[in-house]
Amino acid sequence: MTTPTDHHPTLQITGLNAGYGRAHVLFDIDLTIHPGTVACIMGRNGVGKTTLLNTIAGLITPTTGTIHLNGTDITRTPPHTRIRNGIGYAPQGHETFAPLTVADNLHVAHQAAKRGGPDPIGTALAHFPRLTPLLDRRAGLLSGGQAQQLAIARALVTNPDLLILDEPTEGIQPNIVTEIENAITDIAAQGTTILLVEQYLDVALRCADTVTVIDGGRITHTGPKDDLTEEAAHTLLAI
Ligand SMILES: Nc1ncnc2c1ncn2[C@@H]1O[C@H](COP(=O)(O)OP(=O)(O)OP(=O)(O)O)[C@@H](O)[C@H]1O
Ligand SMILES: [Mg+2]
């Protein structure tokens, strides 16, 4: 595995097609994410956003195409190895290990990832201070907003080069959305590359460097966020 350098994109996807059995969901996806940037993917329900993230995480095998992480081909690499290679994933729906405490959720992820870095659990908790008084609570008892923060923190303790977040603001009350948004901005400022699927345009435009729109399993727009006017985004997303 190479280490992150300026010479390779953090993530490079080329000619990717994927789906479920005979259901073809993603068509000819090309996507490049450069080190230290926040890439936001937007699109209506069911267009294939989660399918793309699951394919990057190794949970779905593409029918064609390649995925490179820091210049290394990971297209056939199993999911647990991708975590060790530097992909941290907080899936949609803020899933946690419900029977385990908050602390054990973080410890299990940290140990499984086998990735170094100074005090990743302390670092994750610094981004989500609301979790500190909850460390001994079972994750299954957390509120939706708390569980979402734990899900992101759990991906973060793997010390990822690429942090993937699938709709981290979905169903979350506004003040917690603001906290999550600030955490994303801070994590990015510390050098972690982020791939974010986000439903709220205002959150996306504040957090992201680039915005990619998917419709019907195809990329219909990609570029710097300033290229995406709010009017254009509303038209593209039909919202
Ligand atoms: N396990 C599965 N088996 C078969 N089809 C699936 C499966 N998961 C998703 N799909 C289908 O793949 C398509 C894309 O789904 P996906 O979850 O990627 O969309 P999405 O853009 O993430 O939507 P949302 O905004 O609702 O999260 C949908 O038509 C969906 O019904
Ligand atoms: Mg989804």
Side-chain angles (χ1 to χ4, degrees):
M1 196 67 204
T2 55
T3 51
T5 69
D6 291 338
H7 302 105
H8 294 293
T10 303
L11 186 76
Q12 183 149 38
I13 297 174
T14 308
L16 185 122
N17 284 264
Y20 307 90
R22 267 178 283 173
H24 192 163
V25 174
L26 296 174
F27 299 85
D28 306 324
I29 300 289
D30 295 320
L31 184 67
T32 301
I33 305 178
H34 292 289
T37 63
V38 179
C40 184
I41 294 181
M42 303 195 76
R44 289 170 293 152
N45 292 133
V47 297
K49 305 180 298 295
T50 297
T51 303
L52 177 58
L53 301 191
N54 282 342
T55 308
I56 296 167
L59 303 171
I60 295 171
T61 304
T63 48
T64 69
T66 57
I67 304 171
H68 286 78
L69 181 72
N70 297 323
T72 299
D73 190 339
I74 59 161
T75 313
R76 304 287 156 200
T77 304
H80 62 275
T81 308
R82 292 191 201 196
I83 295 170
R84 291 177 190 171
N85 289 349
I87 289 180
Y89 186 23
Q92 190 168 9
H94 50 75
E95 287 167 40
T96 59
F97 304 129
L100 302 186
T101 63
V102 169
D104 284 345
N105 267 265
L106 298 175
H107 284 298
V108 165
H110 178 224
Q111 284 165 12
K114 292 191 167 66
R115 285 175 62 85
D119 189 20
I121 292 181
T123 303
L125 290 173
H127 287 297
F128 298 102
R130 281 177 190 276
L131 294 178
T132 302
L134 303 171
L135 283 170
D136 293 331
R137 187 168 301 179
R138 278 199 291 129
L141 299 177
L142 298 180
S143 72
Q146 292 165 344
Q148 182 63 74
Q149 294 182 70
L150 175 58
I152 302 171
R154 193 179 55 177
L156 203 53
V157 298
T158 68
N159 192 22
D161 295 326
L162 178 68
L163 178 64
I164 301 177
L165 306 174
D166 195 351
E167 304 214 24
T169 64
E170 188 180 30
I172 305 294
Q173 69 187 51
N175 68 316
I176 305 290
V177 169
T178 302
E179 289 182 17
I180 289 173
E181 186 185 317
N182 291 340
I184 290 170
T185 305
D186 291 346
I187 293 162
Q190 291 171 10
T192 303
T193 309
I194 297 178
L195 173 53
L196 169 70
V197 169
E198 178 53 52
Q199 58 183 330
Y200 295 119
L201 186 60
D202 55 340
V203 174
L205 291 179
R206 282 195 295 265
C207 290
D209 297 297
T210 62
V211 174
T212 297
V213 177
I214 298 182
D215 197 17
R218 296 175 190 275
I219 291 178
T220 56
H221 172 92
T222 192
K225 71 171 170 192
D226 294 340
D227 290 359
L228 189 76
T229 63
E230 200 156 325
E231 194 184 345
H234 280 280
T235 311
L236 285 166
L237 299 169
I239 49 180

